[in-house]
Amino acid sequence: MLLDRLFAAAIGDAAIDLVTADGQRRRVGSGPPRLTLRLHDGSVGRDLLMNPRLRFGEAYMDGRLTVEGGTIYDALHLLMAGPEVQGALGWLREALSPVLRRLQQRNPLWRSRRNVAHHYDLSRTFYELILDPDLQYSCAYFSDPAMTLEQAQEAKKRHIMAKLRLEPGMRALDIGSGWGGLALHMARHCDVRVLGVTLSAEQLAVSRQRAAEAGLSDRVTFERLDYRELAAIEAGGFDRIVSVGMFEHVGAPHYPAFFNAVHQLLTKDGVALLHAIGRLDGPSATNPWIRTYIFPGGYSPALSEVLPAVESSGLLTTDIEILRLHYAETLRCWRRRFSANRPAIQALYDERFCRMWEFYMAGAELSFRVQGHMVFQIQMSRSLETVPLIRDYITDADRQAAASTVKAQTALETESVV
């Protein structure tokens, strides 16, 4: 059977049971099966043969494919750890890949707004059910493997602050400011003025509300602006620029425009930091299911695609750090929280939405564990003398901030006891 061959090629030395819509059970692979995939209608097999990377997720979302004896995470772990299979139309997609990649990653302003709304304009309540209280929707920093998600997200913010070298009175820009947590952290702990820009109407409203509640509206402002719009109206006005979890939505054709904007917006002795998902194994294309249902227009690049654009902009790369499995651990935490709060999430949306997000978070975590995804942090400046000659300053500032946090928490706990 062609479908058996497709699965056998994907799972390598493992084995699964495959149950077709007519009730036939077949063993695929050798050895005891790890789980069972059940197809609930005859069209699933045909869809998988044509385009498995798109149709497998669709079938799971629709309940036309279910997993028995395990979870969708277990099934994807088997399928993603082996060689990638393309299906019957794989040769055509491969031939058209250079053209398709540029079209898929072309994100003019109108499309960027639409793409952001697709994912980030979901309700705040939904994200509160899976993220930490600060609504950090990006890779945490597990400087200690025993950290909770909350601790690791605080560590991420401290790590970024250490690289930015913020000083009181500075003006900072947060490109892709999310729900405002990082901008508020910078203002609260570093006494700087911050402008956060986002394309999400929902994130903008939440960010402004949080700034008002924290009494920081005089130091932190949020606007619904694109980096291209901001660069057109302001130049050289920011001592520090940070962008966390936004670059994945830029698209390779727009990298020169992005870094040119950063160069234009940054003061001559300023520092910029880019934190984004990347690939260890070179340029590729976004998974078609992710591109269709989760991040339209999204792409996680290899550094070989990013650094030429940095260089051509006139920015100087002063530090690069690769975070390998930190995002896998972050996603594991989110996935567990999603599972624990699934009834509440289903009440907000529906069963298909829940299955879509289960598939997304399982696949995303595994992309970091078995498929070469990572997170990179690139520190940039316009001058060779902006940051110290050796990077010990990052570790020193990181540890000093962590110690201050522990001291403050201890004092707060002591005060509450008294």
Side-chain angles (χ1 to χ4, degrees):
M1 296 289 290
L2 292 176
L3 190 60
D4 296 27
R5 293 178 187 175
L6 182 78
F7 279 110
I11 64 176
D13 296 332
I16 62 170
D17 273 355
L18 185 65
V19 181
T20 57
D22 57 6
Q24 294 185 33
R25 180 181 292 268
R26 301 195 297 269
R27 180 71 44 84
V28 177
S30 58
R34 298 191 188 179
L35 49 79
T36 298
L37 295 180
R38 184 178 293 274
L39 313 184
H40 293 275
D41 70 59
S43 65
V44 176
R46 295 190 297 272
D47 289 346
L48 292 177
L49 287 171
M50 297 302 291
N51 191 354
R53 299 178 69 222
L54 174 63
R55 302 305 183 189
F56 188 88
E58 288 182 337
Y60 182 78
M61 284 167 55
D62 295 336
R64 297 184 299 130
L65 180 153
T66 55
V67 183
E68 300 172 1
T71 65
I72 189 59
Y73 180 91
D74 301 323
L76 288 176
H77 199 178
L78 279 176
L79 296 169
M80 293 173 66
E84 187 174 89
V85 294
Q86 293 283 352
L89 296 180
W91 65 272
L92 180 59
R93 285 188 295 273
E94 191 68 26
L96 296 176
S97 179
V99 175
L100 291 176
R101 286 182 68 233
R102 293 196 66 83
L103 290 175
Q104 291 160 359
Q105 295 176 38
R106 185 175 176 274
N107 291 316
L109 181 55
W110 66 268
R111 184 174 290 168
S112 293
R113 289 186 183 276
R114 184 190 66 186
N115 292 344
V116 165
H118 175 87
H119 190 82
Y120 296 99
D121 281 351
L122 298 173
S123 75
R124 175 180 180 175
T125 301
F126 165 67
Y127 283 107
E128 286 176 335
L129 291 170
I130 59 175
L131 305 180
D132 69 300
D134 197 37
L135 295 176
Q136 290 292 307
Y137 190 31
S138 59
C139 176
Y141 185 63
F142 288 84
S143 53
D144 181 341
M147 279 179 164
T148 64
L149 176 64
E150 288 77 10
Q151 291 169 334
Q153 291 292 12
E154 285 298 311
K156 184 264 297 293
K157 286 177 282 191
R158 290 196 300 266
H159 197 54
I160 289 172
M161 297 304 98
K163 293 184 178 185
L164 286 174
R165 294 176 58 80
L166 288 162
E167 297 177 8
M170 284 184 169
R171 189 177 183 218
L173 169 65
D174 184 358
I175 302 177
S177 51
W179 291 276
L182 183 60
L184 295 172
H185 182 94
M186 288 192 285
R188 184 182 295 114
H189 294 280
C190 303
D191 193 21
V192 297
R193 292 173 297 128
V194 188
L195 170 63
V197 295
T198 177
L199 291 181
S200 165
E202 176 71 14
Q203 289 183 334
L204 178 66
V206 172
S207 298
R208 287 176 169 174
Q209 179 184 346
R210 293 182 68 189
E213 291 171 349
L216 292 171
S217 296
D218 58 331
R219 283 188 284 157
V220 185
T221 57
F222 296 97
E223 300 293 342
R224 195 179 183 199
L225 284 171
D226 183 82
Y227 64 92
R228 291 162 286 199
E229 295 175 300
L230 186 60
I233 60 178
E234 186 161 355
F238 296 96
D239 303 290
R240 299 292 186 262
I241 298 176
V242 64
S243 183
V244 178
M246 173 271 180
F247 191 69
E248 300 88 336
H249 304 284
V250 171
H254 305 278
Y255 293 167
F258 178 86
F259 290 109
N260 287 341
V262 172
H263 185 278
Q264 179 179 328
L265 292 163
L266 192 65
T267 59
K268 291 183 178 180
D269 58 352
V271 176
L273 184 77
L274 175 66
H275 169 119
I277 299 172
R279 300 171 186 270
L280 290 167
D281 52 0
S284 185
T286 303
N287 175 278
W289 185 87
I290 290 288
R291 185 178 65 244
T292 302
Y293 292 98
I294 305 298
F295 294 121
Y299 176 63
S300 300
L303 282 174
S304 59
E305 298 173 281
V306 178
L307 292 178
V310 176
E311 295 163 359
S312 65
S313 73
L315 290 167
L316 304 175
T317 300
T318 50
D319 190 83
I320 298 178
E321 182 176 7
I322 305 299
L323 307 179
R324 288 163 286 114
L325 291 171
H326 291 264
Y327 216 158
E329 292 304 306
T330 306
L331 282 154
R332 179 178 62 87
C333 293
W334 292 346
R335 187 165 57 85
R336 289 180 174 179
R337 292 181 182 208
F338 184 97
S339 179
N341 292 305
R342 197 181 195 281
I345 295 169
Q346 188 172 351
L348 286 173
Y349 295 101
D350 57 23
E351 174 64 15
R352 187 174 188 269
F353 178 91
C354 287
R355 294 175 71 85
M356 178 177 72
W357 269 73
E358 286 169 345
F359 192 89
Y360 154 51
M361 286 190 290
E365 178 183 338
L366 288 164
S367 71
F368 289 92
R369 296 199 186 279
V370 300
Q371 289 198 329
H373 278 58
M374 53 79 172
V375 168
F376 59 80
Q377 290 185 345
I378 305 178
Q379 183 196 61
M380 297 160 284
S381 70
R382 293 175 59 178
S383 168
L384 286 173
E385 300 177 353
T386 299
V387 297
L389 295 180
I390 57 175
R391 71 191 312 271
D392 292 22
Y393 71 92
I394 300 173
T395 303
D396 292 343
D398 222 343
R399 289 175 176 169
Q400 183 178 355
S404 297
T405 300
V406 171
K407 184 177 179 180
Q409 289 174 342
T410 301
L412 189 62
E413 292 170 0
T414 302
E415 183 179 321
S416 64
V417 171
V418 174

